[in-house]
Amino acid sequence: MLLNILPQVLVDGLTLGFMYAVVALGYTMVYGILEFINFAHGEIFMVGAFVGTEVLLITDALGALEGMNPFVALFMTLVIAMVLTGGLGVLIERVAYRPLRGAPRLVPLISAIGVSFLLQDLVRFTEALARNEFYLNTPTLFTSPISLGGIATIPAKGLVVIVLAIVMMVALTLFVNKTKWGIAMRAVAQDRNTASLMTINVDKVIMLTFLIGSSLGGATGVLFAQNYGTIDPYIGFILGLKAFTAAVLGGIGNLRGAMVGGVLLGLLESLSGAYMGPLTNGAFGAEYKDVFAFSILILVLLFKPEGLFGEAVKEKV
């Protein structure tokens, strides 16, 4: 009985894990460059979900969504959400983080938390004003299930999430490793002062980092809304914390670590949600899956604080 549901549990875990992985990339990119945790990144993901949902709702209200190819509709939604959230990320960096760049690390961290609450309330206020509610149902573009050889059934939207998340991660990896701007980002992450002496425009590189990371976060918000159907202004908080957990699990600052950490955390969470109840005779149910996820973070911090793919750095006196 328990083994019968295993394929479905793995598929659900992969879908969730790839979303964690893409959001975790935003955390790890900013940390790699600036060495601070951008806690507003979860809210940028949330803004992306709302932008995507509003685009689909408006298109539907105009009568243009019906009959439109779902891949065209998704592409249009992703482009608009990525442009707006990318611009939002650049704006946040310019207004809330750049003036604090030389300040103690705690100061920009507090600023990030403030931006996080500000974005939550702005979205809640705007949606309440426009629609008189801030819990939105997203029009579903992909409805038909796909059978995996009779072993498991995966909703088409879940498969779309996995494929697009892989495409985004591969594209980012190629960009960072094969392009001039990607090499500049790695140089700034290695040593910001030396990079500036090598004529690299550090401000532009940091701005580009926020642009790419926020765009990926916004795109993941669109995929989240498609996969789960209902969104609210607070979805970025827990998912952002878990994506941050995934980044720490893989080794924050390491792109490969963020990807592996996200997928691993999604699988662990899905497996614990499905099997914890039966294996403990009901003592612990699926509601404890979040406890399980954050227990993983604590264990990693205790025994391998640099993460699975991170490198231990010795502080110089």
Side-chain angles (χ1 to χ4, degrees):
M1 177 62 184
L2 291 179
L3 289 178
N4 290 341
I5 63 171
L6 181 61
Q8 189 67 55
V9 172
L10 292 177
V11 168
D12 293 341
L14 284 174
T15 307
L16 184 62
F18 277 112
M19 280 194 283
Y20 286 157
V22 180
V23 178
L25 286 174
Y27 282 104
T28 212
M29 286 174 70
V30 171
Y31 185 85
I33 298 286
L34 293 175
E35 294 189 348
F36 98 98
I37 309 300
N38 179 21
F39 272 115
H41 190 63
E43 271 56 50
I44 291 174
F45 154 85
M46 175 271 295
V47 171
F50 270 89
V51 169
T53 299
E54 285 292 353
V55 168
L56 291 176
L57 287 174
I58 293 171
T59 307
D60 191 35
L62 295 173
L65 189 60
E66 189 177 355
M68 183 183 288
N69 186 304
F71 289 101
V72 174
L74 181 62
F75 178 76
M76 173 188 71
T77 308
L78 282 173
V79 169
I80 294 174
M82 290 178 77
V83 169
L84 291 180
T85 52
L88 177 64
V90 171
L91 179 66
I92 290 171
E93 188 277 328
R94 186 68 185 85
V95 174
Y97 300 152
R98 190 180 298 186
L100 306 175
R101 205 173 287 170
R105 291 184 182 181
L106 190 59
V107 178
L109 181 68
I110 293 171
S111 180
I113 294 172
V115 171
S116 172
F117 284 118
L118 178 67
L119 289 177
Q120 281 182 11
D121 283 340
L122 274 178
V123 170
R124 186 171 58 85
F125 176 76
T126 305
E127 290 296 339
L129 198 64
R131 298 186 179 276
N132 204 27
E133 61 178 347
F134 49 81
Y135 288 85
L136 297 186
N137 293 318
T138 306
T140 305
L141 297 174
F142 304 92
T143 54
S144 56
I146 298 172
S147 176
L148 300 178
I151 301 173
T153 300
I154 177 173
K157 57 188 180 183
L159 186 61
V160 169
V161 169
I162 292 174
V163 171
L164 286 180
I166 292 174
V167 168
M168 285 191 282
M169 289 191 289
V170 171
L172 178 64
T173 303
L174 290 175
F175 177 83
V176 170
N177 291 311
K178 302 292 183 184
T179 67
K180 187 177 72 173
W181 280 104
I183 294 170
M185 287 169 67
R186 289 159 56 198
V188 172
Q190 192 78 23
D191 190 322
R192 202 186 310 171
N193 293 326
T194 304
S196 66
L197 293 174
M198 303 295 285
T199 70
I200 293 175
N201 190 324
V202 174
D203 285 340
K204 281 189 178 178
V205 170
I206 293 174
M207 187 177 70
L208 181 66
T209 303
F210 273 86
L211 176 69
I212 295 173
S214 300
S215 298
L216 292 177
T220 314
V222 173
L223 299 179
F224 177 92
Q226 276 300 305
N227 196 54
Y228 294 103
T230 303
I231 59 171
D232 63 69
Y234 310 108
I235 57 171
F237 181 71
I238 290 296
L239 191 135
L241 280 180
K242 289 182 179 177
F244 172 65
T245 303
V248 174
L249 178 63
I252 192 158
N254 186 305
L255 294 180
R256 183 180 54 166
M259 298 177 202
V260 174
V263 174
L264 192 58
L265 185 66
L267 286 172
L268 288 173
E269 192 177 313
S270 183
L271 288 168
S272 62
Y275 291 110
M276 195 177 291
L279 292 178
T280 60
N281 290 324
F284 296 99
E287 66 272 17
Y288 286 94
K289 63 180 182 179
D290 289 346
V291 176
F292 185 78
F294 288 107
S295 298
I296 295 292
L297 173 64
I298 294 170
L299 288 174
V300 169
L301 290 175
L302 284 175
F303 296 104
K304 195 170 172 50
E306 68 273 19
L308 299 177
F309 293 89
E311 296 179 357
V313 177
K314 294 181 180 177
E315 294 284 346
K316 295 179 181 178
V317 178

